[in-house]
Amino acid sequence: MINNLFDSKNLHEPISIEGEDKNVLKEMQKSMFLIRKTEQKLALSKKNKLITGPVHLGVGQEAISVGISQNLKKTDKVFGNHRSHSHLLALNPNYYKLFAEVLGKKTGFSKGMGGSMHLIDQSNGFFGSTPIVAGTVPLAVGAAMASKMQKLKDIAVSYIGDGAVEEGVVHECFNLAKIYNAPILFVIENNLFASHMHISLRQPSSIISRFADSNLIPNRLLDGNDVVAIKKNSGELIEEMRDGNGPALIELITYRWFGHVDWREDIDVGVARSVNDIDNWKLRDPIHRLSEAMINLRIWTKEEEIKLCNQIDLKINDAWEKAMNDPYPSEDCILKNVYSSN
Ligand SMILES: Cc1ncc(C[n+]2csc(CCOP(=O)(O)OP(=O)(O)O)c2C)c(N)n1
Ligand SMILES: [Mg+2]
């Protein structure tokens, strides 16, 4: 079973959705479509040179944030990384504010001061992303500690890439969270790559959750392209966490369809990925696998799905145009929002 997860030739079939609430399934599917189409718009706009800064796209990985977010409350505190569009949109599907931010407009999530990699939306539970790999992990442990000390039932969530686990601070965070019984869910998005390097060239094992074992942190390893399994498993871990049982870790095996940064699939920094592998991973598409399952059980029809997608496309195009026409921040915002005079 574990080997199946890592071999892209497996798990192309529809996911299991038996017993699941139909409305929740539809909601999750809509959220995944919305995230994917937002990122595809960003990819196209980057290709067309309408975006100047870098964009790290997570197309193919949508099931993770969508499944996890199903179990979160507005008062939980979620921390992202350099590839966080989906982490934020799964909490607040405001693609317009994301577009504005990526374009550096003052209507963006970070008032146009951050771009794609510095997103924040605290009122919806998103406490920030940064390009410094693993930089937010200790902040997330701190937020979990704050919740515990204030005797709240809120948890922290830290999205961590497989490459980020190669930063020492992540291991200190696992240790500290366990010792302090901090209510934090470490979500490992194991997409097998850190920039251009495959995990087999970096680690003696492709399994990251072994580090949870060594810190006695309860953990699960599963298919990162199965939104229902992610929702269920993270839900169980989070429930225990809210009851005061300390940290947990969920490792999700997935794959990003684009290269490390920007819109091309066929290049990465230095090393090309095999086209065959990308094609096989596309057959493990989390959206398609849920779609097939829903159509098989007559939860919806292909026609309804096409209609939904067309509506999303129209709204996304409108939001993009609006963001393109928005103003940039005024110069004095640098002093107000980025640098401090004292
Ligand atoms: C401290 C630090 N070291 C290196 C980098 C350059 N860098 C940016 S993303 C990345 C790879 C991260 O891989 P992973 O955590 O697996 O996330 P993924 O890109 O696969 O989502 C690296 C090395 C950085 N931004 N920060
Ligand atoms: Mg990675």
Side-chain angles (χ1 to χ4, degrees):
M1 172 58 196
I2 286 181
N3 285 341
N4 277 358
L5 287 178
F6 292 93
D7 184 342
S8 59
K9 291 198 267 322
N10 301 311
L11 301 171
H12 298 171
E13 62 277 6
I15 60 169
S16 168
I17 59 169
E18 268 183 39
E20 292 299 312
D21 183 311
K22 290 178 187 175
N23 289 328
V24 173
L25 291 174
K26 285 183 183 175
E27 195 185 308
M28 292 198 296
Q29 186 68 316
K30 186 175 172 189
S31 180
M32 288 200 289
F33 269 128
L34 191 142
I35 293 169
R36 175 157 307 171
K37 285 171 171 293
T38 299
E39 291 213 297
Q40 283 172 333
K41 182 75 186 172
L42 289 171
L44 187 67
S45 304
K46 181 71 196 179
K47 183 180 178 188
N48 291 336
K49 300 190 169 37
L50 297 171
I51 298 172
T52 45
V55 281
H56 296 76
L57 304 166
V59 170
Q61 305 188 175
E62 299 87 350
I64 298 179
S65 50
V66 170
I68 300 284
S69 301
Q70 279 290 320
N71 302 301
L72 299 180
K73 303 185 295 172
K74 285 248 185 227
T75 46
D76 291 328
K77 295 183 175 57
V78 177
F79 292 81
N81 51 37
H82 57 289
R83 198 181 302 285
S84 268
H85 303 152
S86 66
H87 305 150
L88 172 50
L89 293 175
L91 297 169
N92 172 16
N94 195 334
Y95 39 84
Y96 157 66
K97 279 182 92 169
L98 176 65
F99 288 155
E101 188 55 47
V102 169
L103 289 167
K105 302 299 179 80
K106 75 177 199 184
T107 44
F109 275 116
S110 307
K111 300 179 181 156
M113 297 286 153
S116 158
M117 290 190 284
H118 298 94
L119 303 170
I120 193 153
D121 184 22
Q122 293 190 344
S123 54
N124 288 296
F126 193 71
F127 273 65
S129 61
T130 107
I132 308 297
V133 169
T136 53
V137 188
L139 303 181
V141 176
M145 280 309 296
S147 170
K148 185 184 166 193
M149 290 161 85
Q150 292 168 69
K151 301 196 177 0
L152 303 173
K153 291 256 181 192
D154 300 336
I155 65 157
V157 173
S158 178
Y159 286 104
I160 305 174
D162 50 295
V165 180
E166 287 153 11
E167 290 287 345
V169 70
V170 172
H171 298 272
E172 295 179 43
C173 286
F174 291 161
N175 175 261
L176 204 68
K178 182 64 187 178
I179 287 293
Y180 285 160
N181 213 35
I184 176 166
L185 181 66
F186 298 107
V187 180
I188 308 296
E189 293 182 291
N190 186 349
N191 61 13
L192 310 176
F193 279 85
S195 305
H196 62 291
M197 267 191 130
H198 191 264
I199 195 160
S200 58
L201 300 170
R202 304 166 3 233
Q203 288 289 326
S205 158
S206 300
I207 300 176
I208 301 292
S209 41
R210 70 190 193 277
F211 297 117
D213 288 334
S214 61
N215 285 286
L216 306 184
I217 294 176
N219 61 88
R220 298 188 191 183
L221 165 62
L222 52 142
D223 176 0
N225 290 14
D226 179 342
V227 71
V228 168
I230 294 168
K231 176 180 101 32
K232 263 194 213 158
N233 281 274
S234 61
E236 287 162 11
L237 293 172
I238 288 173
E239 210 175 294
E240 293 196 356
M241 211 174 282
R242 294 202 200 278
D243 285 342
N245 288 319
L249 181 147
I250 187 165
E251 177 176 7
L252 302 158
I253 309 305
T254 189
Y255 198 82
R256 53 170 161 71
W257 294 6
F258 288 109
H260 171 63
V261 63
D262 299 338
W263 59 275
R264 292 189 61 169
E265 284 181 0
D266 57 338
I267 53 155
D268 240 307
V269 189
V271 180
R273 299 183 298 168
S274 126
V275 174
N276 195 15
D277 229 15
I278 300 176
D279 287 346
N280 271 333
W281 274 100
K282 285 187 176 174
L283 296 174
R284 205 190 278 185
D285 178 2
I287 297 185
H288 185 67
R289 287 168 72 207
L290 174 57
S291 174
E292 293 271 283
M294 283 167 65
I295 290 169
N296 289 347
L297 288 192
R298 297 179 201 282
I299 291 175
W300 74 8
T301 60
K302 193 75 199 163
E303 290 67 40
E304 282 176 276
E305 184 178 303
I306 292 171
K307 199 171 154 201
L308 171 75
C309 286
N310 288 342
Q311 282 168 354
I312 296 177
D313 282 338
L314 282 176
K315 286 186 186 166
I316 281 180
N317 286 335
D318 281 355
W320 176 262
E321 288 309 316
K322 186 165 182 261
M324 285 283 283
N325 289 316
D326 279 351
Y328 289 103
S330 58
E331 272 178 27
D332 65 331
C333 287
I334 292 229
L335 296 175
K336 279 193 206 140
N337 296 318
V338 179
Y339 298 113
S340 164
S341 53
N342 47 25

